[in-house]
Amino acid sequence: MMITRVTQQNMDAFAPLIPEELLYETADSAHFALGAVMNADESREKEDTDLLEETLPGYAVGILLYELIENEGEPPYVQLKWIYTAQEFRKQGVADALMENFYTILNESGITNLMCELPASPDDDLLCVFLRAWGFSFSWQKKYELTLTLEELLDDAFFEEQINLRAVRPLNVLSRAQVNRKLEQLSASNERAKQLLKLGGWDLVDAGISCGTVENGEIRGLFLIRQQLSGMLEPVFLYTGRDQKADIVSMFQFAAIQAYLKYPTDTRMHVVCRSDAAAVLVERMFPDREPLVVRHGEVRRQ
């Protein structure tokens, strides 16, 4: 078995091992991946030939995704996003080999803080046990996560409120320079803004339903949404100033209405709270919705 860096050149071989919602992140310069490759001699029972002979000397059997997170004024840390072994190659040391190489990279980089997040699901109990063996300690945390069709979304009482939308503009009427200038201003303290700049934030999102709030010709808030390959809509960036919390609900209402007009009513939207601003939005829209309980894992290595 061999552990290799996953690059855009050999990504096609490993893509079936990665959830779709994570696949687009692999092009981000802050995201990295290690892959496990089993050669044909090590797995004679596998008769098919689903390998890329031009890029890999064997079968892609495992994947580990991680993200380097750097915030100004704080030490960098790594978020373990995904580790997976193909079903037919389990119990052969694939996951341990990935973790061993992963820790070697961390040692060489000098990064000591490592984090992850697991659902509070029995399906992830074994993974939790596995990661504990690699030094993770876990605590329970709450977060909001919603998946609704556009029809379900607009049936919510939230959309019966008369909200002032005069300051909201769809992204496609804002200039690329305006959007990039705002992301550049935010990038010093906002890691997601920095990533969007590196990836070309404008091209990653649906400019017809994404939007911003404008005051005196300057962007004061941004709400960026992309459509996944599956067709699901996913917010990827939400920002407002500290004294502009009303912009959150205005932008979300505007974006949801535009999406309803553009897409079939059974199109799903997936919302995950990645910030206090997102939590404010969900609590305003769905006051009776209970947050999910997740397992937050952390390793502080010396």
Side-chain angles (χ1 to χ4, degrees):
M1 181 170 54
M2 176 184 73
I3 304 299
T4 184
R5 294 271 192 176
V6 178
T7 67
Q8 293 306 304
Q9 285 69 42
N10 61 22
M11 175 57 71
D12 285 349
F14 294 96
L17 306 177
I18 305 172
E20 182 184 329
E21 63 269 20
L22 293 179
L23 190 56
Y24 85 102
E25 294 184 351
T26 60
D28 184 341
S29 61
H31 286 77
F32 305 88
L34 297 175
V37 179
M38 196 83 75
N39 65 44
D41 292 336
E42 292 177 288
S43 181
R44 297 181 184 277
E45 295 180 2
K46 188 171 176 63
E47 296 180 356
D48 58 25
T49 56
D50 57 348
L51 67 155
L52 300 183
E53 300 203 7
E54 295 180 359
T55 58
L56 289 178
Y59 306 104
V61 300
I63 188 81
L64 184 152
L65 303 179
Y66 62 99
E67 178 184 6
L68 175 63
I69 299 176
E70 299 176 285
N71 293 319
E72 187 176 24
E74 299 178 6
Y77 68 93
V78 164
Q79 182 90 10
L80 176 61
K81 305 293 287 288
W82 179 251
I83 182 168
Y84 181 82
T85 301
Q87 188 74 36
E88 62 269 36
F89 294 100
R90 291 180 182 176
K91 297 185 179 180
Q92 297 184 41
V94 174
D96 282 313
L98 286 167
M99 289 296 292
E100 183 176 350
N101 279 264
F102 178 44
Y103 273 26
T104 297
I105 291 171
L106 294 181
N107 288 337
E108 291 173 352
S109 69
I111 293 175
T112 58
N113 291 349
L114 175 60
M115 298 182 189
C116 72
E117 188 177 276
L118 299 181
S121 163
D123 293 340
D124 291 282
D125 287 348
L126 287 177
L127 179 56
C128 185
V129 171
F130 171 79
L131 291 176
R132 285 184 190 277
W134 281 92
F136 279 86
S137 58
F138 288 89
S139 60
W140 298 104
Q141 291 189 355
K142 296 180 179 180
K143 82 170 189 179
Y144 290 95
E145 184 169 1
L146 308 170
T147 301
L148 299 168
T149 66
L150 293 175
E151 184 174 21
E152 291 170 332
L153 187 62
L154 268 75
D155 277 344
D156 188 84
F158 168 78
F159 288 94
E160 296 177 2
E161 299 180 35
Q162 296 297 313
I163 294 174
N164 184 0
L165 302 179
R166 286 181 296 178
V168 183
R169 303 286 186 276
L171 194 67
N172 57 15
V173 305
L174 301 174
S175 73
R176 184 184 294 261
Q178 272 185 300
V179 175
N180 285 342
R181 184 164 63 246
K182 188 63 179 181
L183 290 174
E184 287 168 359
Q185 291 172 357
L186 298 173
S187 63
S189 58
N190 188 303
E191 181 62 26
R192 189 57 182 157
K194 185 187 301 183
Q195 292 169 4
L196 285 168
L197 277 173
K198 291 178 181 177
L199 290 171
W202 183 281
D203 301 319
L204 284 178
V205 300
D206 185 326
I209 64 175
S210 297
C211 58
T213 50
V214 178
E215 184 176 36
N216 298 325
E218 293 294 325
I219 295 175
R220 71 185 188 196
L222 276 176
F223 185 37
L224 307 182
I225 302 171
R226 75 182 185 100
Q227 186 177 36
Q228 299 178 1
L229 294 176
S230 65
M232 182 182 293
L233 301 175
E234 179 190 32
V236 294
F237 187 74
L238 173 62
Y239 169 80
T240 60
R242 292 181 180 273
D243 58 345
Q244 301 292 342
K245 298 304 182 185
D247 284 3
I248 298 172
V249 291
S250 297
M251 289 190 295
F252 193 88
Q253 188 177 69
F254 180 91
I257 292 170
Q258 296 304 311
Y260 186 84
L261 295 173
K262 179 176 181 179
Y263 294 104
T265 57
D266 61 353
T267 300
R268 294 175 298 157
M269 178 175 282
H270 182 64
V271 179
V272 179
C273 288
R274 295 187 176 93
S275 66
D276 290 341
V280 168
L281 174 64
V282 173
E283 289 169 358
R284 172 79 178 272
M285 291 181 59
F286 305 99
D288 298 328
R289 182 65 64 104
E290 291 294 327
L292 292 174
V293 178
V294 297
R295 288 179 279 207
H296 174 76
E298 188 168 350
V299 179
R300 294 191 180 275
R301 307 168 71 238
Q302 301 299 323

